[in-house]
Amino acid sequence: MKQICVIGLGYIGLPTAAMFASNGVKVYGVDIQKKVVDTINQGKVHIEEPFLGEIVKKCVTNGMLSAGTEVRESDVFIIAVPTPVTEDKKADLKYVEEAARNICPFLTKGNLVILESTVTPGCTENFLAPILEESGLKAGIDFYIAHCPERVLPGNIINELQYNNRIVGGINSQSSNYAKELYSTFVKGEIYLTDATTAELCKLMENTYRDVNIALANELAKICERLGVNVWDVIKYANKHPRVNLHSPGPGVGGHCLAVDPWFIIESSPDLSNIIRMSRETNDSMPYYVYQKIKSILPDGGKIVILGCTYKADVDDVRESPIMKLADLLENDVNYTFEIVDPYVKKYNKNIYECANNSDLVILAVNHKQFTNISFQVLSKIMKGNKILDTRNFFDQETVLKSGLDYYLLGDGSRISKKIIEEVAIS
Ligand code: SAJ
């Protein structure tokens, strides 16, 4: 194999290109954004991911990796472009179509085309293959196609690309075998072979499984608040069972994976996807649920500081962030003013204490490691109010209470019930 052309140099495409290039395969990366191409050709990276910068720098310097905006002739084409969900929750495959059309003029006999993007079930076989056959070549015979979904955790991509098991789904066995041979270049995990549609559903179900379990935890959190118990205790002790793994409640589910992939399954079988749809709706209800809690904590309005706005801890990605949805709700409520503090987002990378000065409520929205050592002593001195709302069970309740602040925890009905008991006892 002389050369690979990777189309789409984002969170997945660039690390994938870097893994091939650092394992002896010449890689030419393609991206529509000239700024991305120029950054990479300078040996730099445009996304925050541990170890990626060093690998890209080494491979660009030694000539194994270069980038451009136009597709070139290659032995293998890897499509790793975004597949967003539309407003009406349908898969937007326009970037996959564009990539396929750009490959067609360069497609030659014996080529292998890999689709890494997360797509709807049946896309590789019924959408991608026919576009590539407009080249006049026959899929599975003159050239080969496989769907090879990625399953890496942002923040740990380089490690997981090598050590996670991989699913390879060809449109025929020859395609699967060639794809397995390709990924054996750097994948140290098991590589399992199946058909393209099974591989597509595997990927979608991995994230849907997680989204449904998070929805279960979020629904439990609401029930616990009503019943006056602490959901975090229920989860902690229930998970002592060897076969129970309740996930964590929170202010909602973000990212371009869990908040998107389940909709691709729903699209394929809307009449059958009841649990999957309700889970999506439950998770999407959480920003509003947190907004209601804010109104119960600060019924007369006030100034709020929101700690964190990315879709999860220790990443710089705000795509589908539930905290941005919460911010929209507060933006439209004249009773509240708010400031966001997030060390991973340039415009919000502010000093916590300056923002908290004279504030009434501080909300822990994303459990970034930088928020671990917040001084509640200082906060209690500079805040006008004294409320802390923790949506991730991140702070230590006793530490907060000892500083004279009042601590509210998402899903903890016991705290509210204790407060009511105290109030009744005093009255
Ligand atoms: N979240 C909760 N409760 C939990 C776990 C997560 O509320 O118990 C929230 C997070 O705050 C975040 C969202 O869900 O908003 C997604 O979090 P995540 O930890 O699932 O992170 P992702 O979306 O970056 O990664 C997932 C992973 N999929 C699985 O773990 C099955 C990753 O392996 C995938 O490769 C990735 O999606 C992807 O790219 O598909």
Side-chain angles (χ1 to χ4, degrees):
M1 172 188 17
K2 293 181 287 300
Q3 168 155 321
I4 292 181
C5 179
V6 177
I7 302 163
L9 299 174
Y11 282 81
I12 299 305
L14 182 55
T16 300
M19 293 320 298
F20 279 112
S22 56
N23 283 276
V25 183
K26 204 162 171 60
V27 179
Y28 177 69
V30 176
D31 200 284
I32 49 171
Q33 296 182 65
K34 184 147 182 354
K35 189 164 164 286
V36 168
V37 166
D38 294 344
T39 302
I40 292 166
N41 284 331
Q42 291 159 20
K44 298 184 184 120
V45 291
H46 60 296
I47 49 179
E48 173 143 349
E49 186 58 41
F51 311 117
L52 181 62
E54 303 100 280
I55 299 173
V56 167
K57 184 172 183 225
K58 183 174 72 103
C59 294
V60 169
T61 308
N62 67 19
M64 291 305 281
L65 174 63
S66 61
T69 55
E70 305 291 329
V71 173
R72 280 183 188 165
E73 195 165 328
S74 195
D75 301 293
V76 176
F77 297 92
I78 298 179
I79 302 174
V81 296
T83 48
V85 66
T86 59
E87 276 300 306
D88 61 346
K89 304 303 181 190
K90 298 287 184 284
D92 181 351
L93 300 175
K94 65 173 177 285
Y95 299 117
V96 173
E97 178 173 1
E98 194 178 322
R101 293 202 185 288
N102 290 337
I103 292 170
C104 273
F106 301 95
L107 204 58
T108 56
K109 283 205 171 200
N111 278 173
L112 171 62
V113 179
I114 301 282
L115 177 59
E116 284 211 358
S117 306
T118 303
V119 290
T120 42
C123 174
T124 304
E125 202 146 348
N126 308 320
F127 179 80
L128 176 61
I131 295 173
L132 293 171
E133 287 183 323
E134 288 174 16
S135 61
L137 297 173
K138 188 84 184 94
I141 298 169
D142 298 325
F143 68 96
Y144 306 97
I145 313 183
H147 177 59
C148 304
E150 46 72 27
R151 46 171 51 160
V152 293
L153 199 64
N156 192 27
I157 291 179
I158 296 302
N159 176 51
E160 293 204 353
L161 270 180
Q162 297 175 85
Y163 294 100
N164 282 7
N165 299 327
R166 197 103 198 204
I167 309 274
V168 164
I171 61 165
N172 59 6
S173 55
Q174 190 75 297
S175 300
S176 298
N177 291 328
Y178 281 143
K180 177 169 185 174
E181 188 185 331
L182 173 75
Y183 283 97
S184 302
T185 309
F186 67 81
V187 172
K188 297 176 175 60
E190 285 297 320
I191 300 176
Y192 297 99
L193 304 189
T194 185
D195 65 276
T197 304
T198 299
E200 287 159 347
L201 265 170
C202 283
K203 170 64 191 178
L204 294 172
M205 269 319 292
E206 287 163 10
N207 288 334
T208 300
Y209 156 83
R210 197 157 164 78
D211 195 52
V212 167
N213 276 281
I214 294 165
L216 181 62
N218 283 328
E219 185 163 285
L220 177 62
K222 295 178 181 177
I223 294 168
C224 286
E225 287 202 11
R226 172 178 293 180
L227 298 183
V229 298
N230 184 340
V231 69
W232 302 94
D233 291 339
V234 174
I235 290 169
K236 180 169 65 176
Y237 297 127
N239 283 352
K240 298 296 183 194
H241 187 293
R243 287 180 301 285
V244 172
N245 175 29
L246 285 167
H247 287 30
S248 300
V253 167
H256 55 297
C257 315
L258 272 65
V260 172
D261 296 2
W263 290 114
F264 290 6
I265 296 182
I266 295 166
E267 182 179 346
S268 74
S269 313
D271 56 323
L272 297 175
S273 310
N274 303 309
I275 294 173
I276 295 173
R277 177 194 304 280
M278 279 186 69
S279 297
R280 279 284 65 243
E281 289 164 355
T282 301
N283 289 332
D284 283 353
S285 76
M286 294 312 286
Y288 185 75
Y289 188 76
V290 173
Y291 170 59
Q292 293 295 77
K293 281 186 79 67
I294 290 169
K295 293 205 288 186
S296 70
I297 295 169
L298 283 186
D300 303 325
K303 181 186 169 190
I304 298 169
V305 176
I306 299 176
L307 300 181
C309 67
T310 57
Y311 84 88
K312 70 171 190 176
D314 306 332
V315 298
D316 62 355
D317 191 351
V318 294
R319 283 178 292 183
E320 301 288 325
S321 166
I323 309 309
M324 300 315 265
K325 296 189 174 89
L326 172 62
D328 288 344
L329 290 166
L330 291 171
E331 192 77 57
N332 294 314
D333 187 327
V334 295
N335 294 315
Y336 301 98
T337 60
F338 68 93
E339 285 210 65
I340 293 174
V341 176
D342 192 313
Y344 290 89
V345 182
K346 202 162 174 216
K347 69 187 276 196
Y348 298 126
N349 187 10
K350 299 181 257 182
N351 179 284
I352 294 173
Y353 303 105
E354 281 170 19
C355 295
N357 200 24
N358 272 329
S359 65
D360 298 285
L361 167 66
V362 172
I363 301 175
L364 187 282
V366 183
N367 41 325
H368 289 318
K369 57 180 177 298
Q370 288 86 335
F371 296 144
T372 309
N373 302 313
I374 284 178
S375 164
F376 296 106
Q377 299 293 350
V378 172
L379 282 182
S380 65
K381 290 192 176 66
I382 60 174
M383 285 174 70
K384 181 159 66 71
N386 70 336
K387 314 281 184 197
I388 304 291
L389 170 57
D390 185 348
T391 69
R392 303 269 181 175
N393 196 28
F394 182 68
F395 292 141
D396 174 69
Q397 174 163 319
E398 289 319 309
T399 308
V400 176
L401 295 174
K402 276 194 192 120
S403 65
L405 295 170
D406 207 355
Y407 178 77
Y408 295 80
L409 174 60
L410 178 73
D412 183 2
S414 67
R415 217 217 67 75
I416 296 168
S417 62
K418 263 187 220 150
K419 188 171 174 54
I420 293 165
I421 293 164
E422 281 152 15
E423 280 160 3
V424 165
I426 293 164
S427 60

